[in-house]
Amino acid sequence: MAHGNFTRVTEFILTGVSERPDLQIPLFFVFLVIYGLTVTGNLSIITLTSVDSRLQTPMYFFLRHLAVVNLGNSTVIAPKMLVNFLVKKHTTSYYECAIQLGGFLVFIVAEVLMLAVMAYDRYVAICNPLLYMAVVSQRICLLLVSLTYLYSFSTAVVASSSVFSVTYCSCNIINHFYCDIAPLLALSCSDTSFPETFVFISAATNLVFSIIVVLVSYLNIVLSILKIRSSEGRKKAFSTCVSHMMAVSVFYGTMIFMYAQPQTNHSMDTDKVASVFYTLVIPMLNPIIYSLRNKDVKAALKRFLTNPCCSFKLM
């Protein structure tokens, strides 16, 4: 296409969750509550696992970073989304859109890997309890988390750079409530085969790797638990894994639906629904799932509310 035949895009317009004017205010309050619960829940997990001396174990170390990832993921999306419910012009600049996409990819890839790390942690704790502190030492924990963030950042840089390396001209209306890969590539007036291929391979690889680690870990966990003769022992072992399995199932279901398919098969309306789940609903549910199913977290919260000065110490 000749350069004189199109105007290069400098900003994008987000259609939002719904284009109906009568739903903007109700949706604003719904998502404000969801984001408020997300911030409160994840900050609570981060605080409790950081300062409570009884929660200084690898499991809660990884749970803290999952909360960081959940908080970051929703914060990249929600504030701009909430503002757009209240204004008539839902615009975002070209570079603001690129930063939002990059930030979203950092946290979503980190969550995929963090869930795999947490499954491995539970596998070692239940299947090899005598070697637990040696295999999952503080140094190993820091290494696993650091590699998770490094890999997710590198993947986000390459993916977002490839998405914004294509040409966007004339049409700048993104059929979504944030800058995501599929609706952005749908606007391009140049060849999008490379970013589509990279995103598909990257998403599929990350998901398959993570799911295999989770499935193998929990298969071994279940087999080990079934060997426990005491019913009380089996119940206790299962209770430490149920919350993680619930969170993993919901997250992977929406991620597989969203990204492990060719971009040409995407329906933008169904993508919006799936996106609401893993960017806003799941980050809100994870702290609830882990706290309601976890006696240690509930006990730590009770200690904090009753006597924070005596029950807590900064690590």
Side-chain angles (χ1 to χ4, degrees):
M1 185 181 292
H3 288 284
N5 293 340
F6 64 85
T7 303
R8 190 173 296 274
V9 169
T10 59
E11 66 177 15
F12 295 100
I13 299 173
L14 298 165
T15 60
V17 177
S18 173
E19 297 183 65
R20 290 178 55 181
D22 57 311
L23 292 180
Q24 300 307 300
I25 298 302
L27 286 174
F28 168 80
F29 285 108
V30 169
F31 287 105
L32 180 63
V33 170
I34 291 175
Y35 182 58
L37 291 174
T38 300
V39 172
T40 303
N42 285 287
L43 282 180
S44 298
I45 293 292
I46 293 169
T47 301
L48 291 173
T49 56
S50 296
V51 301
D52 193 309
S53 59
R54 302 184 191 184
L55 300 183
Q56 303 307 309
T57 64
M59 181 176 75
Y60 295 110
F61 175 79
F62 295 131
L63 179 58
R64 181 193 316 157
H65 283 279
L66 179 65
V68 170
V69 169
N70 285 160
L71 182 60
N73 193 17
S74 58
T75 300
V76 167
I77 306 298
K80 180 68 175 179
M81 174 189 184
L82 291 171
V83 169
N84 285 341
F85 282 126
L86 303 177
V87 298
K88 291 184 178 180
K89 194 175 183 182
H90 306 164
T91 59
T92 181
S93 72
Y94 183 90
Y95 294 106
E96 183 182 8
C97 188
I99 292 171
Q100 185 182 53
L101 176 62
F104 163 72
L105 291 174
V106 167
F107 292 115
I108 205 69
V109 174
E111 184 166 1
V112 170
L113 299 181
M114 198 68 69
L115 290 173
V117 170
M118 292 175 70
Y120 173 72
D121 168 72
R122 290 300 82 208
Y123 159 72
V124 177
I126 294 174
C127 299
N128 298 285
L130 298 178
L131 299 175
Y132 182 60
M133 295 311 298
V135 175
V136 192
S137 63
Q138 184 178 17
R139 182 179 179 182
I140 295 298
C141 291
L142 290 172
L143 178 63
L144 289 173
V145 169
S146 298
L147 289 175
T148 295
Y149 287 132
L150 179 62
Y151 176 80
S152 60
F153 179 78
S154 302
T155 302
V157 168
V158 177
S160 57
S161 297
S162 66
V163 170
F164 282 89
S165 66
V166 300
T167 304
Y168 295 96
C169 41
S170 301
C171 184
N172 67 338
I173 300 176
I174 300 176
N175 187 18
H176 217 318
F177 58 90
Y178 69 97
C179 294
D180 199 8
I181 294 170
L184 274 167
L185 292 179
L187 300 179
S188 176
C189 55
S190 62
D191 182 25
T192 60
S193 57
F194 173 74
E196 286 184 357
T197 303
F198 176 82
V199 170
F200 178 77
I201 293 175
S202 177
T205 302
N206 294 335
L207 282 172
V208 168
F209 168 77
S210 183
I211 289 172
I212 288 175
V213 171
V214 170
L215 289 178
V216 171
S217 297
Y218 277 101
L219 177 61
N220 283 280
I221 287 171
V222 170
L223 293 176
S224 295
I225 292 175
L226 292 177
K227 294 178 183 178
I228 300 175
R229 295 182 179 181
S230 167
S231 59
E232 185 65 27
R234 287 197 299 269
K235 182 179 179 181
K236 184 177 180 181
F238 268 121
S239 66
T240 62
C241 301
V242 169
S243 57
H244 186 227
M245 293 172 69
M246 291 171 60
V248 162
S249 299
V250 177
F251 179 77
Y252 283 144
T254 54
M255 286 300 295
I256 290 172
F257 172 80
M258 186 68 179
Y259 285 105
Q261 59 173 314
Q263 299 294 326
T264 53
N265 292 342
H266 278 259
S267 167
M268 293 304 174
D269 291 333
T270 54
D271 281 2
K272 287 183 184 181
V273 176
S275 297
V276 167
F277 267 91
Y278 65 74
T279 60
L280 300 169
V281 176
I282 291 176
M284 176 193 69
L285 290 178
N286 277 350
I288 298 173
I289 291 172
Y290 284 108
S291 61
L292 291 179
R293 297 288 310 183
N294 193 301
K295 294 180 180 179
D296 293 337
V297 174
K298 288 190 288 186
L301 181 59
K302 185 177 181 180
R303 288 194 298 271
F304 175 73
L305 295 176
T306 55
N307 199 347
C309 295
C310 296
S311 301
F312 289 74
K313 65 178 182 178
L314 291 173
M315 301 304 294

